[in-house]
């Protein structure tokens, strides 16, 4: 079923929704993808409730939204997103003295069964990033993917990097979610890959282009282009699985945690606001340890049911 248009809202409802969308873009620095999702979910909420003024919103209404979403066979993650958008919106209305209490508080979304992130093992990363090609564009690609894996960057963090973000002391300044900056060390291999790219970057970019990574046309490379190039590289390197940019970030987190056991450090390196977000990697680490135990311990076979 198509999402209703924002024009279907009353003037009062549309006014506050548009103010909220500007707020989360300008003040909170949320991505355009998140803003688009919030916009869509809040329009759906207004449509379900046929609401004319957000001030009339009650907890009973929120529960009606929850029930309607379940009847429409919405996935738990979609319902959680809908309630999250509504909770943030109501909190904004409270800050603007347009609402007294947050009606979403106390309403629980269905459990989502959070999936574990997928990652490549060390040998697979070696296979992916070891290329004998020396073409300029391959130099750029290897620099991008060595940096993503070497620093655990999000895709948007990579494409928004500027030349000035790469510092002479071997660090890189990264702007993450909410425009929060963090300083990360660049490893030896990634540093060499960036050096190789910078030697040929001038063949594509003008002296006025600030972006670190550019397309063949000389402008800042897009997220989609990065994904396509990684997919092509994986095929060229004989990988037998799909590889996407976020998988490099997951691989970084898993490998650093396996080697160091320092969850707090991994949190800082990834730029996670909450430790709970990083803790998902402890489950991956346990799976790795469990496999080692099953193959190495003399009594493990009984536990796994082997004879």
């Amino acid at each position: 079923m198509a999402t209703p248009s924002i024009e279907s809202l009353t003037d009062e409802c549309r006014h506050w929704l548009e103010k909220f969308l500007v707020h989360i873009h300008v003040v909170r620095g949320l991505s355009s993808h998140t803003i688009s999702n919030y916009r869509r979910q809040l329009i759906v909420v207004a449509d379900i409730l046929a609401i004319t003024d957000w001030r009339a919103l009650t907890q009973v209404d929120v529960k009606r939204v929850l029930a309607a979403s379940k009847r429409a066979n919405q996935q738990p993650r979609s319902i959680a997103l809908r309630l999250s958008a509504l909770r943030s919106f109501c909190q904004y209305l409270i800050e603007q003295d347009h609402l007294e209490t947050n009606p979403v508080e106390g309403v629980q979304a269905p459990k989502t069964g959070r999936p574990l992130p997928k990652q490549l093992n060390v040998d697979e990363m070696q296979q992916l990033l070891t290329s004998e090609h020396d073409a300029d564009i391959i130099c750029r690609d290897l620099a991008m993917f060595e940096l993503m894996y070497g620093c655990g960057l999000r895709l948007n963090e990579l494409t928004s990097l500027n030349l000035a973000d790469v510092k002479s002391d071997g660090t890189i300044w990264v702007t993450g979610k909410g425009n929060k900056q963090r300083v990360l060390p660049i490893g030896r291999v990634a540093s060499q890959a960036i050096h190789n790219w910078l030697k040929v970057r001038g063949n594509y970019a003008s002296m006025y282009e600030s972006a670190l990574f550019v397309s063949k046309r000389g402008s800042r490379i897009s997220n989609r282009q990065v994904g396509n190039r990684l997919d092509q590289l994986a095929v060229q390197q004989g990988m037998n699985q799909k590889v996407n940019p976020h998988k490099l970030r997951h691989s970084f987190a898993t490998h650093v945690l396996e080697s160091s056991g320092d969850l707090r450090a991994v949190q800082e390196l990834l730029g996670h606001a909450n430790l709970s977000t990083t803790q998902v990697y402890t489950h991956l680490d346990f799976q790795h340890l469990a496999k080692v135990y099953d193959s190495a311990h003399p009594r493990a076979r009984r536990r796994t049911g082997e004879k």
Side-chain angles (χ1 to χ4, degrees):
M1 187 162 122
T3 303
S5 68
I6 197 168
E7 285 73 25
S8 64
L9 276 61
T10 64
D11 291 343
E12 176 74 3
C13 285
R14 185 167 62 250
H15 166 75
W16 284 104
L17 175 54
E18 289 175 340
K19 284 190 67 173
F20 170 67
L21 296 175
V22 170
H23 170 79
I24 60 177
H25 171 64
V26 176
V27 178
R28 293 179 55 188
L30 299 187
S31 69
S32 57
H33 178 69
T34 300
I35 293 169
S36 176
N37 280 338
Y38 275 28
R39 180 181 187 274
R40 182 170 60 254
Q41 295 300 338
L42 291 169
I43 292 173
V44 170
V45 168
D47 182 68
I48 290 173
L49 299 176
I51 198 161
T52 58
D53 191 329
W54 296 110
R55 285 176 293 188
L57 199 63
T58 66
Q59 191 174 84
V60 172
D61 291 325
V62 177
K63 291 179 179 178
R64 282 175 54 203
V65 170
L66 183 60
S69 301
K70 289 179 179 178
R71 286 196 302 272
N73 294 319
Q74 292 285 310
Q75 293 296 315
R77 290 178 71 84
S78 298
I79 298 174
L81 173 62
R82 185 164 294 171
L83 291 184
S84 177
L86 186 57
R87 183 180 295 107
S88 294
F89 180 44
C90 289
Q91 187 57 45
Y92 169 76
L93 293 179
I94 291 172
E95 292 167 2
Q96 299 299 311
D97 295 325
H98 194 68
L99 201 63
E100 291 186 3
T101 59
N102 196 327
V104 188
E105 296 304 328
V107 179
Q108 295 295 321
K111 293 193 183 221
T112 60
R114 188 176 188 181
L116 293 177
K118 302 288 192 299
Q119 81 286 340
L120 302 174
N121 62 40
V122 174
D123 289 339
E124 288 169 333
M125 287 302 312
Q126 181 75 7
Q127 178 184 350
L128 177 67
L129 297 177
T130 302
S131 175
E132 296 180 357
H133 298 281
D134 58 0
D136 293 354
I137 292 302
I138 298 298
C139 283
R140 180 203 63 190
D141 293 349
L142 291 177
M144 290 193 303
F145 304 137
E146 285 287 1
L147 196 56
M148 289 194 80
Y149 172 58
C151 294
L153 302 185
R154 300 178 178 96
L155 176 56
N156 203 55
E157 291 173 345
L158 177 85
T159 55
S160 63
L161 285 173
N162 292 321
L163 281 170
D165 294 325
V166 181
K167 306 300 182 181
S168 59
D169 62 354
T171 61
I172 190 165
W173 289 52
V174 178
T175 303
K177 289 185 176 180
N179 287 325
K180 292 181 180 177
Q181 276 202 329
R182 64 188 191 277
V183 180
L184 299 173
I186 306 175
R188 175 182 54 81
V189 178
S191 181
Q192 183 60 52
I194 293 173
H195 176 72
N196 294 341
W197 160 240
L198 291 179
K199 287 195 295 186
V200 298
R201 178 183 172 277
N203 297 339
Y204 301 94
S206 75
M207 61 182 297
Y208 303 106
E209 176 57 60
S210 61
L212 176 59
F213 296 112
V214 298
S215 68
K216 289 181 179 179
R217 295 182 178 181
S219 57
R220 185 181 298 274
I221 197 167
S222 69
N223 288 2
R224 177 173 292 184
Q225 287 174 309
V226 174
N228 289 340
R229 293 299 299 179
L230 180 56
D231 190 47
Q232 291 175 33
L233 180 64
V235 172
Q236 291 168 3
Q237 299 298 87
M239 306 292 292
N240 59 2
Q241 61 177 294
K242 284 283 187 182
V243 181
N244 59 57
H246 217 59
K247 192 173 282 191
L248 301 189
R249 176 171 161 87
H250 292 322
S251 301
F252 162 85
T254 305
H255 298 165
V256 172
L257 184 60
E258 284 178 353
S259 299
S260 70
D262 193 331
L263 191 63
R264 286 284 183 184
V266 174
Q267 177 194 4
E268 292 294 325
L269 290 167
L270 291 175
H272 285 161
N274 299 309
L275 187 62
S276 60
T277 309
T278 319
Q279 282 174 330
V280 67
Y281 295 103
T282 62
H283 300 299
L284 292 173
D285 196 34
F286 175 78
Q287 287 182 341
H288 170 73
L289 292 175
K291 287 180 181 178
V292 172
Y293 172 78
D294 288 341
S295 63
H297 197 283
R299 295 188 182 274
R301 289 175 185 164
R302 290 185 182 181
R303 187 174 69 86
T304 58
E306 295 178 8
K307 298 185 179 181

